[in-house]
């Protein structure tokens, strides 16, 4: 079927299936967005004056999704995703009771495992936790509101390997833990990963029919169980420590999903790419240098390493770098995310990409 905000959704799904399989249908995969040329003078809904209401007022969230989707051109593999934002309220640290502070742009948790003799196995998911109940309510609203128009995401940015434990302990404490009590960290990671699947499975069961599979805060779609893997905490540790404490958990995580992309966020995490490319179940790796850093194309050795290991590669670059990217990289398994100033420019880029792509 087509979607109100994505008329070529059927073709897009086939291209996603091909990309996950490492196949090429005439060009690299590309998601290009731009302001819609026929959007007119639509105005966004008024943002609530209180930050908590901004992230929890479902009428406002629904109106904002409709406004965003109606005024955005979704070209190539770009598609409209219904979501409520990701400031940390729909996440496992919040479900486990970490006090949460929300402002208008983001949010942060306060740690709860602050004692020296800490034990993560004492923590349980509480079905009455208000943020968990809100996540389910928001997901149900998203399923209803998105019908025939967009794709509902799985419910939030859940957290994952390393990062959930960093929220529970506090980053500074966890940096000491990985040096002084490594075995406890490893055991805690396996415990929290089983909890992650308990959360994911409950959300996927509710949303997969409406989403025809799944999508998340990372704007990719899968016909099955998809989630981006990450470990932002790894920015601060050596490859040796990463491989010992987190790679086994990432391996288990990747084997429990149908499709996944590893979100390598920041140049400090690039040292872990060789080990990540050796995990057999990871299909794709995103190389994201981070704010204030050069384009991903500046790190060509890392990009080519990913492709040489047979992994799909995801990069976000300006539209004027797309031709160069396709001169330097194979289009096989390549996914480019970009933005154009106008719909006309986006359509021109989509036509050119067929000529620029080479296997």
């Amino acid at each position: 079927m087509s979607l109100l905000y994505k008329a070529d959704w059927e073709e897009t799904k086939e291209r996603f299936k091909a990309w996950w399989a490492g196949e090429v249908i005439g060009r690299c995969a590309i998601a290009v967005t731009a302001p819609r040329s026929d959007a007119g003078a639509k105005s966004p809904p008024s943002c609530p004056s209180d930050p908590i209401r901004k992230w929890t007022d479902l009428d406002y969230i629904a109106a904002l999704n409709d406004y965003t989707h109606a005024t955005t051109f979704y070209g190539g593999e770009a598609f409209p995703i219904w979501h409520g934002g990701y400031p940390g309220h729909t996440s496992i640290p919040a479900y486990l009771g970490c006090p949460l502070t929300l402002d208008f742009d983001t949010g942060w948790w306060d740690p709860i495992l602050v004692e020296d003799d800490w034990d993560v196995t004492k923590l349980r998911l509480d079905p009455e936790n208000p943020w968990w109940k809100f996540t389910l309510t928001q997901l149900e609203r998203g399923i209803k509101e998105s019908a025939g128009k967009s794709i509902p995401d799985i419910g939030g940015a859940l957290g994952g390997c390393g990062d959930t434990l960093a929220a529970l302990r506090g980053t500074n404490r966890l940096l000491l833990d990985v040096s002084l009590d490594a075995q406890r960290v490893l055991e805690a990671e396996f415990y929290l990963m089983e909890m992650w699947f308990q959360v994911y499975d409950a959300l996927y069961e509710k949303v997969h029919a409406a989403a025809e599979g799944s999508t998340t805060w990372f704007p990719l779609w899968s016909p099955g169980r998809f989630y981006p893997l990450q470990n932002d905490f790894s920015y601060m540790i050596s490859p040796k420590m990463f491989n010992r404490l987190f790679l086994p958990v990432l391996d288990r995580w990747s084997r429990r999903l149908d499709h996944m992309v590893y979100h390598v966020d920041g140049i400090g995490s690039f040292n872990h790419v060789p080990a990540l490319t050796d995990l057999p179940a990871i299909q794709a790796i995103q190389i994201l240098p981070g704010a204030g850093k050069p384009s991903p194309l500046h790190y060509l050795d890392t990009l080519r390493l990913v492709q040489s290991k047979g992994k799909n590669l995801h990069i976000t670059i300006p539209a004027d770098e797309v031709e160069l990217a396709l001169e330097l990289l194979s289009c096989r398994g390549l996914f480019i995310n970009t933005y154009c100033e106008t719909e006309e420019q986006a359509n021109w880029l989509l036509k050119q990409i067929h000529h620029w792509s080479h296997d």
Side-chain angles (χ1 to χ4, degrees):
M1 66 177 182
S2 64
L3 299 172
L4 176 62
Y5 300 124
K6 181 67 175 174
D8 61 345
W9 176 233
E10 287 300 316
E11 177 186 344
T12 300
K13 288 190 295 184
E14 293 307 309
R15 287 191 173 274
F16 268 112
K17 293 174 185 176
W19 181 72
W20 286 120
E23 299 171 357
V24 178
I25 306 180
R27 58 166 173 78
C28 74
I30 185 169
V32 53
T33 56
R36 280 186 68 99
S37 59
D38 60 355
K42 294 183 176 70
S43 298
S46 297
C47 181
S49 57
D50 172 74
I52 294 178
R53 282 196 57 220
K54 175 188 176 180
W55 301 112
T56 60
D57 184 331
L58 292 177
D59 291 336
Y60 166 72
I61 291 169
L64 182 62
N65 272 278
D66 273 343
Y67 166 78
T68 301
H69 298 159
T71 57
T72 301
F73 168 75
Y74 296 96
E77 282 67 77
F79 64 102
I81 301 173
W82 200 102
H83 65 86
Y86 313 105
H89 59 324
T90 54
S91 64
I92 290 176
Y95 304 154
L96 291 176
C98 285
L100 175 67
T101 300
L102 295 174
D103 69 14
F104 285 102
D105 298 312
T106 186
W108 55 93
W109 310 286
D110 291 326
I112 55 175
L113 294 179
V114 297
E115 63 278 2
D116 291 337
D117 187 19
W118 55 280
D119 183 2
V120 75
T121 65
K122 294 179 180 178
L123 299 177
R124 298 288 188 276
L125 291 168
D126 178 6
E128 296 303 312
N129 176 281
W131 289 120
W132 173 246
K133 293 174 76 172
F134 171 77
T135 298
L136 295 177
T137 301
Q138 179 178 260
L139 183 58
E140 291 167 358
R141 181 69 177 265
I143 291 169
K144 177 182 177 182
E145 295 282 350
S146 63
K149 298 185 292 185
S150 56
I151 302 300
D153 84 345
I154 200 161
L158 305 178
C161 179
D163 299 332
T164 296
L165 187 56
L168 295 169
R169 282 289 283 154
T171 298
N172 288 340
R173 290 186 190 87
L174 186 56
L175 283 169
L176 290 173
D177 293 335
V178 295
S179 297
L180 303 176
D181 204 352
Q183 186 59 32
R184 184 180 299 202
V185 171
L186 182 60
E187 291 171 0
E189 281 296 314
F190 278 113
Y191 178 82
L192 290 170
M193 187 49 58
E194 292 308 308
M195 187 179 291
W196 189 93
F197 277 105
Q198 183 181 344
V199 170
Y200 182 91
D201 291 347
L203 299 176
Y204 181 78
E205 182 179 359
K206 288 182 176 294
V207 77
H208 75 92
E212 304 178 69
S214 57
T215 190
T216 70
W217 63 266
F218 198 116
L220 298 175
W221 175 85
S222 160
R225 294 157 56 86
F226 160 64
Y227 202 82
L229 280 57
Q230 69 184 84
N231 185 328
D232 290 347
F233 177 80
S234 70
Y235 195 101
M236 296 171 279
I237 62 175
S238 69
K240 181 178 179 181
M241 186 172 285
F242 175 76
N243 295 350
R244 177 187 175 190
L245 296 182
F246 298 112
L247 206 63
V249 183
L250 287 167
D251 185 48
R252 179 176 294 187
W253 194 2
S254 66
R255 292 177 187 276
R256 293 273 297 272
L257 295 166
D258 297 314
H259 297 111
M260 74 293 303
V261 57
Y262 190 94
H263 170 60
V264 181
D265 190 356
I267 60 173
S269 299
F270 286 9
N271 287 334
H272 306 312
V273 171
L276 292 167
T277 61
D278 287 335
L279 290 182
I282 290 181
Q283 293 123 335
I285 295 179
Q286 180 199 34
I287 300 299
L288 185 67
K293 299 299 187 293
S295 160
L297 299 182
H298 183 77
Y299 306 94
L300 193 59
D301 287 348
T302 300
L303 306 185
R304 286 178 168 165
L305 172 64
V306 173
Q307 290 201 320
S308 72
K309 291 295 190 75
K311 303 296 186 182
N312 289 353
L313 173 66
H314 186 290
I315 56 174
T316 297
I317 56 176
D320 60 7
E321 291 186 0
V322 171
E323 183 176 8
L324 175 61
L326 286 164
E327 290 177 6
L328 299 172
L329 299 165
S330 171
C331 71
R332 180 170 295 275
L334 178 63
F335 195 114
I336 294 174
N337 187 73
T338 192
Y339 172 83
C340 289
E341 295 294 331
T342 67
E343 184 176 339
E344 181 182 17
Q345 291 172 353
N347 279 314
W348 179 86
L349 181 62
L350 287 168
K351 291 179 181 178
Q352 298 306 310
I353 202 90
H354 287 273
H355 305 299
W356 297 339
S357 295
H358 67 276
D359 187 353

